Amino acid sequence: MSDKILLNSKKIQIILQRLACQLIENHGDFSNTVLIGLQPRGTYFAERIASILRDDYHVKNIKLGKLDITFYRDDFRRRDEPLNANSTEINFLVEGQKVVFIDDVLFSGRSINAALTAIQSYGRPAEVELLVLIDRRFSRHLPIQPDYKGATVDVINEEVVVVNWSNDTLSDAVYITNKKKK
Amino acid sequence: MKTLSVPNLLGIKHLVKEDIDLIFETADHFKEVINRPIKKVPSLRDITIANLFFENSTRTKLSFELAEKRLSADVINFSASGSSVKKGETLIDTVNNILSMKVDIIVMRHPDVGAHEFLSRHVNTKIINAGDGTHEHPTQALLDSFSIRERLGDVAGKKVVIVGDILHSRVALSNIYALKLQGAEVKVCGPVTLIPKYIESLGVGVETDLRKALEWADVANMLRVQNERMDIKYFPSTREYTQLYGVNKKLLNSINSEVTIMHPGPINRGVEITSDVADSDQAIILNQVENGVAIRMACIYLLASQIKQ
């Protein structure tokens, strides 16, 4: 394997704690804030952040949802492979709330663009912020930047940043791999 | 990543089990979409769909149009009455004229069996069958199975009886194909004159006693008697038909098991089904209508995904 480890589980734990603290700094008791993990991979990350807020910082009433953006993507019919949807679970009102989108890797910004459209189907948020674990700089197609980021990486387009979440957190890892050649 | 195995939705006969699974998975997501405060997604904003109805329709036409609009497609509607069809234009000419206006998908209902198959061989577009004569009505069968799955958890292993005018029913044939493909047991029940001669070759049982059929079944799909397609008299009177093949609360209460009642509509209340059954919790008729929009969104979405930019 020519995969290069960017972050190991220890570093990821430190980053998650920092991101949780930054969220508390800006959102207090989270009474007007909702966390939305973006399907498919942002949802694992969002669950991690939510559990740290709950267990380590005793924030009660964390509202956590999952948003699928498949039907809002701008590359429908433009990809070789069809897009299959994931589930959306938003069991609370978004109207007037501060929404924090949570995703693992920010690359072109197109997913976030789709998510900004998708979230409006659930109401008009007071504001929307973006939290990502990895910010791939210099690869943006749209003027979208994260409000909170775990780490910044510079990789070439042919490489993929993969975030691996494990059940016990001990094998969490972020690594760079080459795109699969067909 | 999954896609449908067929380029058009002409009938359930052409589908494989994986296609139905994919349509249901996609429809689950669209059902969530149509229950949001804003029920629209922008997926098909650059797709134009023509609904060609050469035969009367209320709910299917509305359901398709709503599904298309919920997907943000541009929609044009055509009905045979008041069109150039009356002036002698052929089907291929009509469709080609519509296609030259840059239409991507055709949804068609036609009174002739096989009209869609014929069209698919002569025009280059995506075609969805919204009913062809007495042959197939695939989206109805899909929404029926989807509704069974929703109510009973699964279609496989369930016992479904289709009651009524099997001979003239495209809903019956598409349902038989769909249910068998998913591993359900199927029986048809009705007057012998309204049951096709070789129906058993499709792997379905025949029962002429409604009580016995209902005692056997988990689900009963009640069909309307299609008087408009009958060239001769198939049973002595509507009153006699109702007595023998109409379902009412008294009959259902006398049966030990709880049978889920379905109806593709339009209902002839008091003929094949009484109001106290149609409006009861045992019936999932309105769920079928709601699911129809989600199923049609899924079919359109999956076929549209095959049209490359």
Side-chain angles (χ1 to χ4, degrees):
Chain A
M1 292 262 291
S2 60
D3 298 347
K4 180 185 160 193
I5 298 278
L6 276 178
L7 300 173
N8 58 24
S9 68
K10 198 175 173 186
K11 278 185 183 166
I12 291 174
Q13 275 309 311
I14 295 168
I15 287 172
L16 291 181
Q17 291 286 337
R18 170 172 55 82
L19 291 171
C21 290
Q22 284 179 322
L23 280 176
I24 292 170
E25 219 172 87
N26 288 343
H27 295 275
D29 64 356
F30 286 73
S31 54
N32 294 316
T33 301
V34 300
L35 306 180
I36 303 282
L38 301 187
Q39 287 277 28
R41 303 197 52 84
T43 56
Y44 303 111
F45 182 30
E47 277 165 19
R48 283 295 172 82
I49 292 282
S51 68
I52 290 174
L53 289 170
R54 266 190 227 108
D55 303 340
D56 298 357
Y57 298 97
H58 310 294
V59 181
K60 289 173 188 163
N61 305 319
I62 291 281
K63 285 173 282 213
L64 174 66
K66 295 176 182 176
L67 179 65
D68 182 60
I69 56 152
T70 307
F71 302 132
Y72 299 85
R73 290 178 65 123
D74 61 3
D75 55 353
F76 179 60
R77 305 200 292 120
R78 289 162 180 82
R79 296 160 60 100
D80 294 335
E81 290 182 330
L83 295 165
N84 295 127
N86 292 293
S87 63
T88 291
E89 291 165 26
I90 298 180
N91 305 317
F92 41 76
L93 289 175
V94 167
E95 184 78 29
Q97 297 285 301
K98 293 176 183 174
V99 171
V100 182
F101 284 154
I102 300 178
D103 207 357
D104 58 354
V105 181
L106 177 60
F107 181 44
S108 67
R110 288 177 186 270
S111 298
I112 306 303
N113 189 36
L116 286 167
T117 314
I119 198 66
Q120 289 173 40
S121 297
Y122 295 89
R124 180 180 181 271
E127 60 182 68
V128 181
E129 290 183 332
L130 174 61
L131 183 155
V132 297
L133 182 63
I134 302 294
D135 176 16
R136 288 184 64 164
R137 279 193 306 187
F138 311 130
S139 57
R140 216 75 83 237
H141 299 172
L142 298 166
I144 285 170
Q145 302 303 336
D147 297 284
Y148 313 91
K149 57 185 170 187
T152 303
V153 298
D154 301 331
V155 287
I156 56 171
N157 280 348
E158 284 65 39
E159 291 174 325
V160 183
V161 177
V162 178
V163 182
N164 195 16
W165 301 106
S166 62
N167 287 336
D168 57 1
T169 75
L170 297 174
S171 317
D172 288 353
V174 178
Y175 55 92
I176 299 176
T177 183
N178 285 320
K179 272 185 186 170
K180 282 178 192 165
K181 296 277 184 295
K182 284 197 169 175
Chain B
M1 292 291 178
K2 293 174 276 185
T3 186
L4 290 178
S5 68
V6 288
N8 299 300
L9 184 58
L10 303 178
I12 303 289
K13 194 180 181 180
H14 306 287
L15 300 184
V16 294
K17 170 77 166 56
E18 288 71 27
D19 290 329
I20 295 185
D21 292 341
L22 177 60
I23 291 168
F24 285 2
E25 278 167 33
T26 313
D28 281 334
H29 300 306
F30 282 123
K31 182 142 188 195
E32 186 271 322
V33 167
I34 60 176
N35 281 296
R36 291 177 188 175
I38 295 170
K39 302 164 178 62
K40 207 172 163 110
V41 292
S43 306
L44 268 60
R45 59 199 148 197
D46 49 359
I47 292 277
T48 306
I49 303 176
N51 298 319
L52 314 185
F53 279 75
F54 293 89
E55 199 180 62
N56 292 337
S57 168
T58 309
R59 89 209 64 231
T60 305
K61 193 174 171 185
L62 281 177
S63 182
F64 265 112
E65 195 172 337
L66 202 55
E68 292 151 4
K69 288 181 170 169
R70 296 272 191 254
L71 288 165
S72 301
D74 288 322
V75 180
I76 53 171
N77 287 303
F78 164 98
S79 59
S81 56
S83 73
S84 291
V85 174
K86 296 279 180 226
K87 299 175 191 167
E89 193 175 49
T90 67
L91 178 62
I92 294 178
D93 282 343
T94 303
V95 172
N96 272 330
N97 272 281
I98 291 165
L99 289 179
S100 28
M101 298 179 213
K102 310 298 174 205
V103 167
D104 305 288
I105 299 175
I106 297 279
V107 173
M108 187 169 84
R109 169 167 287 190
H110 201 281
D112 293 336
V113 169
H116 303 77
E117 299 262 1
F118 170 75
L119 200 61
S120 70
R121 288 198 291 270
H122 290 90
V123 299
N124 182 25
T125 187
K126 295 274 166 205
I127 300 170
I128 297 179
N129 184 354
D132 60 332
T134 56
H135 183 221
E136 279 228 45
H137 190 353
T139 54
Q140 179 69 45
L142 290 167
L143 75 90
D144 287 346
S145 288
F146 187 76
S147 303
I148 294 173
R149 169 179 171 266
E150 189 178 70
R151 172 60 75 103
L152 302 177
D154 201 355
V155 178
K158 297 292 176 297
K159 294 172 178 171
V160 183
V161 61
I162 305 171
V163 184
D165 183 358
I166 313 297
L167 186 64
H168 298 102
S169 175
R170 53 192 172 213
V171 175
L173 188 60
S174 286
N175 256 291
I176 290 168
Y177 286 137
L179 293 166
K180 296 294 292 177
L181 201 57
Q182 294 168 91
E185 285 183 63
V186 186
K187 274 188 182 177
V188 294
C189 176
V192 280
T193 48
L194 288 176
I195 292 177
K197 230 176 183 176
Y198 302 106
I199 192 90
E200 279 155 323
S201 65
L202 294 175
V204 303
V206 175
E207 179 58 72
T208 51
D209 184 331
L210 180 61
R211 173 178 287 279
K212 280 186 191 165
L214 291 175
E215 276 166 355
W216 170 84
D218 299 310
V219 179
N221 199 347
M222 308 302 299
L223 303 181
R224 183 177 63 90
V225 175
Q226 304 205 21
N227 289 311
E228 72 277 16
R229 294 191 202 278
M230 292 186 181
D231 45 354
I232 56 165
K233 221 163 167 52
Y234 287 88
F235 48 84
S237 70
T238 304
R239 186 182 149 85
E240 187 175 322
Y241 178 87
T242 303
Q243 281 179 344
L244 290 172
Y245 296 103
V247 67
N248 55 58
K249 202 71 189 162
K250 197 176 153 196
L251 174 63
L252 286 180
N253 287 343
S254 68
I255 289 164
N256 287 333
S257 57
E258 169 108 340
V259 186
T260 300
I261 302 293
M262 301 172 73
H263 196 301
I267 300 175
N268 283 330
R269 284 177 186 259
V271 180
E272 69 272 7
I273 188 168
T274 54
S275 286
D276 52 4
V277 174
D279 302 333
S280 71
D281 291 341
Q282 229 169 315
I284 54 168
I285 299 168
L286 293 178
N287 304 50
Q288 289 173 263
V289 179
E290 185 189 347
N291 290 337
V293 177
I295 282 287
R296 289 176 177 118
M297 285 173 84
C299 294
I300 294 166
Y301 176 83
L302 291 167
L303 283 182
S305 69
Q306 298 175 349
I307 308 170
K308 290 296 168 213
Q309 186 73 4

